[in-house]
Amino acid sequence: MKNIRPLRTPADHQWALKEVERYFKKPPAPGSEEGDRFDVLSALIEHYENEHVAIPAADPIDVLHFALDSMDKTQADLARILGSASRASEILNRKRRLTLDMIRRISEDWNLPIESLTGDYELARNTG
C-alpha cells in the first residue's frame, strides 16, 4: 500500500486525514487496493485519536436536544420517560437537573450512552 506509515505526530495525523478525505468523494470498492488503503488509514487515524485527541465531554442537555432533532424523538417522548411534561420542559430549559434515575431511563429507552448524559452542565439562572 502506497506510503502508509505510523501516525506519531499531529502532522502525521493531518496527513492521514487529508489522505482519507479524498475517499469520501469517491469511495473505493471494498476489498480493492484503495479500499484496503482506506481501511488501514482509518484504523490508524482512530488509534491516533483515541491515544492523543481529547474529546470534551458533551453537555447532557445538548445531547438531549440533538436526540430530539436527529432521532425523530419529541418532547412528549421525553415526558413519557420522565413521568411528566413539566419535568421534561424543566430539564430541556435547564431549570432542573437530570437525576441518575432519569439518566438511566433515557439511556435505556433511547439507546444513548450513559456517559453522554452524566456530564456537568449549567442550569438557567433565575432572573426574577
Coordinates of all heavy atoms in Angstrom, one line a residue, residues 56-64 66-67 71 98 103 106-107 110-121:
P56 N -13.9 16.7 24.3 CA -14.5 17.2 25.5 C -15.9 16.6 25.8 O -16.5 16.1 24.9 CB -14.7 18.7 25.1 CG -14.6 18.8 23.6 CD -13.8 17.6 23.2
A57 N -16.2 16.5 27.0 CA -17.5 15.9 27.4 C -18.6 16.7 26.8 O -18.6 17.9 26.8 CB -17.6 15.8 28.9
A58 N -19.6 16.0 26.4 CA -20.8 16.7 25.8 C -21.7 17.2 26.9 O -21.7 16.7 28.0 CB -21.6 15.7 24.9
D59 N -22.3 18.3 26.6 CA -23.3 18.8 27.5 C -24.6 18.0 27.5 O -25.1 17.8 26.4 CB -23.6 20.3 27.1 CG -24.7 20.9 28.0 OD1 -25.8 20.5 28.0 OD2 -24.3 21.9 28.7
P60 N -25.0 17.4 28.6 CA -26.1 16.4 28.5 C -27.4 17.0 27.9 O -28.1 16.3 27.2 CB -26.3 16.1 30.0 CG -25.0 16.2 30.6 CD -24.4 17.4 29.9
I61 N -27.7 18.3 28.2 CA -28.9 18.9 27.6 C -28.7 19.1 26.1 O -29.7 18.9 25.4 CB -29.2 20.2 28.3 CG1 -29.3 20.0 29.9 CG2 -30.5 20.9 27.8 CD1 -30.2 18.9 30.3
D62 N -27.5 19.4 25.7 CA -27.3 19.5 24.2 C -27.5 18.1 23.6 O -28.0 18.0 22.5 CB -25.9 20.0 23.9 CG -25.7 21.5 24.2 OD1 -26.8 22.2 24.4 OD2 -24.6 21.9 24.4
V63 N -27.1 17.0 24.3 CA -27.2 15.7 23.8 C -28.7 15.4 23.7 O -29.2 14.8 22.7 CB -26.6 14.6 24.8 CG1 -27.0 13.2 24.4 CG2 -25.1 14.8 24.7
L64 N -29.5 15.8 24.7 CA -31.0 15.6 24.6 C -31.6 16.3 23.4 O -32.4 15.8 22.6 CB -31.7 16.0 25.9 CG -31.4 15.1 27.1 CD1 -32.1 15.6 28.3 CD2 -31.9 13.7 26.8
F66 N -30.0 17.2 20.7 CA -29.6 16.5 19.5 C -30.4 15.3 19.2 O -30.8 15.0 18.1 CB -28.1 16.2 19.6 CG -27.5 15.4 18.4 CD1 -27.2 16.1 17.3 CD2 -27.4 14.0 18.4 CE1 -26.7 15.4 16.2 CE2 -26.9 13.4 17.3 CZ -26.6 14.1 16.2
A67 N -30.7 14.5 20.3 CA -31.5 13.3 20.2 C -32.9 13.7 19.7 O -33.5 13.0 18.8 CB -31.6 12.6 21.5
M71 N -33.1 11.9 16.1 CA -33.6 10.5 16.3 C -35.1 10.5 16.2 O -35.8 9.5 16.6 CB -33.2 10.0 17.7 CG -31.7 9.9 17.9 SD -31.2 9.5 19.6 CE -32.1 8.0 19.9
L98 N -30.9 16.6 35.6 CA -31.2 15.2 35.4 C -30.7 14.4 36.7 O -29.6 14.7 37.2 CB -30.4 14.7 34.2 CG -30.9 15.1 32.8 CD1 -29.8 14.8 31.8 CD2 -32.1 14.4 32.5
I103 N -31.4 9.6 34.0 CA -30.3 9.3 33.0 C -30.4 7.8 32.6 O -30.3 7.5 31.4 CB -29.0 9.6 33.6 CG1 -28.8 11.1 33.8 CG2 -27.8 9.0 32.8 CD1 -27.6 11.6 34.6
I106 N -33.5 7.3 30.3 CA -33.3 7.9 28.9 C -32.3 7.1 28.2 O -32.5 6.7 27.0 CB -32.8 9.4 29.0 CG1 -33.9 10.3 29.6 CG2 -32.4 9.9 27.7 CD1 -33.4 11.6 30.1
S107 N -31.2 6.7 28.8 CA -30.2 5.9 28.2 C -30.8 4.6 27.6 O -30.5 4.2 26.5 CB -29.0 5.6 29.1 OG -28.1 4.7 28.6
W110 N -33.7 5.3 24.8 CA -33.2 6.0 23.6 C -31.9 5.4 23.1 O -31.4 5.9 22.1 CB -33.1 7.5 23.7 CG -34.5 8.2 23.8 CD1 -35.7 7.6 23.8 CD2 -34.7 9.6 23.9 NE1 -36.7 8.5 23.9 CE2 -36.1 9.8 23.9 CE3 -33.9 10.7 23.9 CZ2 -36.7 11.0 24.0 CZ3 -34.4 11.9 24.0 CH2 -35.8 12.1 24.1
N111 N -31.4 4.4 23.8 CA -30.1 3.8 23.4 C -29.0 4.8 23.3 O -28.2 4.8 22.4 CB -30.3 3.0 22.1 CG -29.2 2.0 22.0 OD1 -28.6 1.5 22.9 ND2 -28.8 1.7 20.7
L112 N -28.9 5.7 24.3 CA -27.8 6.7 24.4 C -26.8 6.3 25.4 O -27.2 5.7 26.5 CB -28.4 8.1 24.8 CG -29.3 8.8 23.8 CD1 -29.9 10.0 24.4 CD2 -28.6 9.1 22.5
P113 N -25.5 6.5 25.2 CA -24.5 6.1 26.2 C -24.8 6.9 27.5 O -25.0 8.1 27.5 CB -23.2 6.5 25.6 CG -23.5 6.7 24.2 CD -24.9 7.1 24.0
I114 N -24.8 6.2 28.6 CA -25.0 6.9 29.9 C -24.0 8.0 30.1 O -24.3 9.1 30.5 CB -24.9 5.9 31.1 CG1 -26.2 5.1 31.1 CG2 -24.6 6.6 32.4 CD1 -26.2 4.0 32.2
E115 N -22.7 7.8 29.6 CA -21.7 8.8 29.8 C -22.1 10.2 29.1 O -21.6 11.2 29.5 CB -20.4 8.4 29.2 CG -19.8 7.1 29.8 CD -20.5 5.9 29.1 OE1 -20.7 5.8 27.9 OE2 -20.9 4.9 29.9
S116 N -22.9 10.1 28.0 CA -23.2 11.3 27.3 C -24.2 12.1 28.1 O -24.5 13.3 27.7 CB -23.8 11.0 25.9 OG -25.1 10.3 26.0
L117 N -24.8 11.6 29.1 CA -25.8 12.3 29.9 C -25.4 12.6 31.3 O -26.2 13.2 32.1 CB -27.1 11.4 30.0 CG -27.8 11.1 28.6 CD1 -28.9 10.1 28.8 CD2 -28.3 12.4 28.0
T118 N -24.2 12.3 31.7 CA -23.7 12.4 33.1 C -22.8 13.6 33.3 O -22.4 13.9 34.4 CB -23.0 11.2 33.6 OG1 -21.9 10.9 32.8 CG2 -24.0 10.0 33.7
G119 N -22.4 14.3 32.2 CA -21.5 15.5 32.4 C -22.2 16.6 33.2 O -23.4 16.7 33.3
D120 N -21.3 17.5 33.7 CA -21.8 18.6 34.4 C -22.3 19.7 33.4 O -21.8 19.8 32.3 CB -20.7 19.2 35.2 CG -21.1 20.2 36.3 OD1 -22.3 20.1 36.7 OD2 -20.4 21.1 36.6
Y121 N -23.3 20.4 33.8 CA -23.8 21.5 32.9 C -24.5 22.6 33.8 O -24.8 22.4 35.0 CB -24.9 20.9 31.9 CG -26.1 20.2 32.6 CD1 -27.2 20.9 32.8 CD2 -26.0 18.9 32.9 CE1 -28.3 20.3 33.4 CE2 -27.1 18.3 33.5 CZ -28.3 19.0 33.7 OH -29.3 18.3 34.3

